[in-house]
Amino acid sequence: MKHLAKSVRTFIGAKNFEESRNFYKDLGFEESIISKGMSYFKIVETLGFYLQDYYVEDWINNSMIFVEVDNVEEYFLQLQNLSLQHKYKDVKLVPIRYEDWGSECFLHDPAGVLWHFGAFKK
């Protein structure tokens, strides 16, 4: 089968929809409101996700998103400078881990979704 897809977009939930909306805007995503309980957040035209006003703890606690970046060290410093972990109660920023395949840092959103920001070894 030949795939002619233009993008892949995941759906994630929010424990507090307004707080999560603000968090992702602070993180630098651009919001497009779809309905009262759903927004699309994008970094660039083809990289984004749907945020829903919907929360199931088991689902959220198992939601992970990997974003490939050019330079993890630089990205981590930018994340630190945003101080999101101080502005939002349940947000956690985890320092860089270096692995055989590359490196990554982690950011837990206000609901518990785990974001991986990583770079592969060249």
Side-chain angles (χ1 to χ4, degrees), residues 66-113:
F66 183 91
V67 177
E68 184 178 359
V69 298
D70 288 330
N71 184 314
V72 176
E73 289 82 4
E74 183 179 306
Y75 205 88
F76 181 71
L77 288 175
Q78 290 178 32
L79 289 171
Q80 281 183 313
N81 289 337
L82 291 174
S83 295
L84 297 172
Q85 68 275 22
H86 302 295
K87 185 173 182 179
Y88 298 95
K89 179 183 162 218
D90 294 319
V91 169
K92 295 178 211 139
L93 179 61
V94 180
I96 299 169
R97 285 200 311 205
Y98 296 90
E99 306 289 346
D100 292 339
W101 57 267
S103 57
E104 63 183 340
C105 64
F106 308 92
L107 183 66
H108 296 260
D109 87 350
V113 174

Side-chain angles (χ1 to χ4, degrees), residues 20-79:
S20 289
R21 287 179 64 216
N22 291 329
F23 169 81
Y24 284 110
K25 288 186 271 188
D26 286 347
L27 189 53
F29 284 86
E30 180 183 328
E31 180 183 23
S32 296
I33 297 171
I34 295 172
S35 66
K36 182 181 175 194
M38 184 178 293
S39 289
Y40 176 64
F41 284 88
K42 67 181 179 179
I43 300 173
V44 295
E45 201 58 43
T46 58
L47 297 176
F49 64 93
Y50 295 101
L51 179 69
Q52 303 173 85
D53 187 7
Y54 184 73
Y55 180 78
V56 175
E57 187 174 7
D58 286 344
W59 170 48
I60 297 297
N61 287 340
N62 286 292
S63 293
M64 294 184 278
I65 302 169
F66 183 91
V67 177
E68 184 178 359
V69 298
D70 288 330
N71 184 314
V72 176
E73 289 82 4
E74 183 179 306
Y75 205 88
F76 181 71
L77 288 175
Q78 290 178 32
L79 289 171

